[in-house]
Amino acid sequence: MTVFTVSFCGTACTRDEGEASRSDSDMRIYSPTTGYIPVRIHKEISGDLHATRPSVTVRGVGQNDWSQPGNTSEPLVLSGPLKVPGDLLTEAQKYSGGDRRSTTSQLTGWEAAALALHGANLAAGSGAEAYNFIGHSRGAVEAIMAAWFIQAYGPPAVKNIPIRILAIDPVPGPGQWYGILTQLPPNVISYVGVTAWDHLDTGFNGLVPRPNAKMAGSTQALSLGGGWMSLADNYQLTDPLAAPKSGATQPSDYTLFACRGRHGTVAGNATADGQYDPATVSASVARVGQLVYKLARGYLTQWGTVFAAKSAVGQSALQLRQEIHLDHAQLDNMAGGPLRDSVKPLRPYVRRVSSISGSIPWNTYYLEDVVGDPPYRQPYPVTAAASKDGGWVRWNFL
C-alpha cells in the first residue's frame, strides 16, 4: 500500500521552521533532535525539505513558504483534482502566491481553508492508496478540514481513500468554529490528538473533534450540508467531552493524549517558558517535544509511512515520560505553578477545550474535567474543583 504524508505547519510557521532561522524565529528554540516536529517529520520521510513525495509540507497561516527570501509564497494547488464549489475556490485564491506574511491573517485564521484545500489537492493528486496527515496548531485543524474536502469533493476513486490524522494541539483560534472542524468525516479511519496541559493564553482553546460514526459504533449515515462551511452541520455526532451516556462504549481508532507543556512545547519548542528566546532553552522542557516526536513517528510508522532517517531521539518513550514527571518544575511554572487553585473565578489556571461548533465563546469545557483523574505517578496540576469522572472518551496521559 502506498502512503502519502502531508505535514501541516502551525500559524506563522514556514516550511523550514526549526531548520533555518529568520528575523522572527530562531531555530535554536527547538530541540536539535526534534526540530519543529511537523517539518522534521517531513524531512525524515523524504530526505529534503523541498521534496513533495512521498511527503510534503504545507506552510502555516499568515506566513510564507520559506525563511529565505521570506517575502513571497508559492501558488497553492486549488483547482484540482478536487472539484470544489466556486465560493470556496474564490475564497482560497485570495491566499495563493505573493507575500502572505500577515499578523492579521495569523490572528483571524481565515487562510486555513485555503491551506487545507491545497493539502487536500496534493494528497488527492499523489496517486497514493492512503493518506497520513500530521499537523500542529491551526495546521492540525487544517488536516481535519482537508479530510472533509476530500470526502465531499473528491472523485469517486479518491473520496473514500483512508485518512489517518495525528493532531498536535489543534487550535482553531477565536471566532466561529465550523462543523468541519468539530467533527471527523467518515474517511478518517484513525485519529490521534495531543492536547497541551499548561497553555493558558486567550484564544487558544483546544479542539477535540467528535469521532465519526464508524469509530463510535453508530450506523448514522453522512448527510452533507449545502455549502463548504456547513458540510458537517448535519453530521455532528456524540460529543467526546460530555458525560457518557449509560452503556456507552469507547470509540475505536480514536485516541486522545494529555501532555505537559505549552502549545509550542508539544511541537518541539524547548524554551523554559514556551516562548521564543533561545537563551532559555531547557533540557527538562525539551523532553516533552522528544516524547511527542517519538509518538508521532511511532503512529505514522504503524500507519504505513516509511522514514528515510532513523529516530534522532535515543531515549525510550517510557524513559522520557519518567524524566518529565520527575523534573516538572519548569512545566508547572508555565501555567501558574504546581497548584492551580485561585481566588479568581472561572479557574484561570486551567486550559479549556471544546468539541462544539458555532461561535459562542463559553461553549467550552475545562480540560481537567474531561480527562478524568490523572494517575498519581504523573503530577498533572489540577484544582480542587476538578471532576474525577471525565467525559465519554477516556484520555491517556503522556
Side-chain angles (χ1 to χ4, degrees):
M1 181 179 67
T2 56
V3 176
F4 186 73
T5 304
V6 183
S7 289
F8 293 88
C9 297
T11 300
C13 291
T14 57
R15 294 170 62 191
D16 54 4
E17 184 75 25
E19 307 296 323
S21 295
R22 58 184 191 275
S23 61
D24 56 351
S25 179
D26 192 317
M27 62 182 286
R28 295 175 298 167
I29 67 172
Y30 296 101
S31 167
T33 54
T34 70
Y36 175 61
I37 291 174
V39 170
R40 181 64 62 84
I41 288 289
H42 161 67
K43 183 180 178 182
E44 292 181 347
I45 296 168
S46 291
D48 182 80
L49 290 174
H50 291 263
T52 56
R53 296 195 183 221
S55 63
V56 71
T57 48
V58 175
R59 63 177 173 81
V61 165
Q63 188 53 272
N64 292 312
D65 284 276
W66 307 106
S67 57
Q68 299 298 327
N71 60 355
T72 189
S73 63
E74 299 171 7
L76 302 179
V77 178
L78 302 175
S79 58
L82 304 187
K83 296 183 178 180
V84 304
D87 61 337
L88 174 55
L89 184 59
T90 299
E91 174 67 20
Q93 286 171 338
K94 300 176 185 176
Y95 306 103
S96 181
D99 188 351
R100 299 263 57 91
R101 188 170 180 274
S102 166
T103 302
T104 300
S105 289
Q106 292 169 16
L107 291 172
T108 64
W110 284 107
E111 194 174 5
L115 297 170
L117 177 58
H118 170 64
N121 273 319
L122 292 174
S126 69
E129 299 168 285
Y131 310 142
N132 290 344
F133 294 166
I134 177 174
H136 168 239
S137 189
R138 279 202 183 100
V141 177
E142 291 163 19
I144 300 169
M145 297 172 71
W148 271 108
F149 292 156
I150 291 171
Q151 179 78 70
Y153 306 126
V158 168
K159 65 171 55 192
N160 293 316
I161 285 178
I163 299 173
R164 298 170 175 89
I165 296 175
L166 193 144
I168 303 173
D169 210 36
V171 171
Q176 183 169 0
W177 289 20
Y178 302 130
I180 55 173
L181 279 58
T182 57
Q183 174 66 55
L184 296 175
N187 58 355
V188 175
I189 66 168
S190 292
Y191 179 84
V192 175
V194 177
T195 299
W197 190 264
D198 303 293
H199 196 93
L200 303 177
D201 293 9
T202 301
F204 279 80
N205 291 337
L207 170 67
V208 183
R210 298 168 185 235
N212 61 35
K214 185 176 180 180
M215 292 172 172
S218 167
T219 58
Q220 182 165 337
L222 174 63
S223 175
L224 289 173
W228 70 268
M229 295 182 191
S230 59
L231 285 173
D233 286 6
N234 300 325
Y235 189 73
Q236 295 291 299
L237 305 185
T238 305
D239 186 343
L241 305 179
K245 298 178 181 178
S246 178
T249 59
Q250 289 296 294
S252 60
D253 298 302
Y254 179 90
T255 307
L256 301 177
F257 290 96
C259 185
R260 295 304 307 270
R262 282 173 56 87
H263 182 64
T265 311
V266 294
N269 183 321
T271 62
D273 55 3
Q275 299 295 331
Y276 311 106
D277 183 356
T280 65
V281 164
S282 161
S284 300
V285 173
R287 295 186 190 110
V288 173
Q290 291 163 4
L291 180 58
V292 176
Y293 164 87
K294 290 195 72 92
L295 181 87
R297 282 188 57 115
Y299 272 106
L300 290 170
T301 299
Q302 177 184 321
W303 296 341
T305 294
V306 176
F307 285 85
K310 294 182 179 180
S311 171
V313 176
Q315 292 169 289
S316 69
L318 177 59
Q319 185 178 1
L320 288 167
R321 291 176 73 190
Q322 290 173 336
E323 291 178 357
I324 288 168
H325 295 295
L326 287 171
D327 181 17
H328 53 85
Q330 289 179 328
L331 301 172
D332 294 343
N333 290 337
M334 289 178 175
L339 302 176
R340 300 291 164 89
D341 287 293
S342 173
V343 296
K344 299 177 182 178
L346 303 177
R347 293 190 245 178
Y349 300 119
V350 179
R351 181 92 187 266
R352 296 201 186 199
V353 293
S354 185
S355 50
I356 303 171
S357 61
S359 57
I360 301 176
W362 53 85
N363 270 346
T364 61
Y365 299 86
Y366 291 108
L367 179 58
E368 66 178 11
D369 285 346
V370 300
V371 298
D373 198 13
Y376 75 93
R377 291 179 180 270
Q378 296 174 274
Y380 277 77
V382 297
T383 70
S387 168
K388 306 295 184 184
D389 298 327
W392 165 38
V393 174
R394 299 191 193 102
W395 288 61
N396 304 278
F397 294 84
L398 289 175

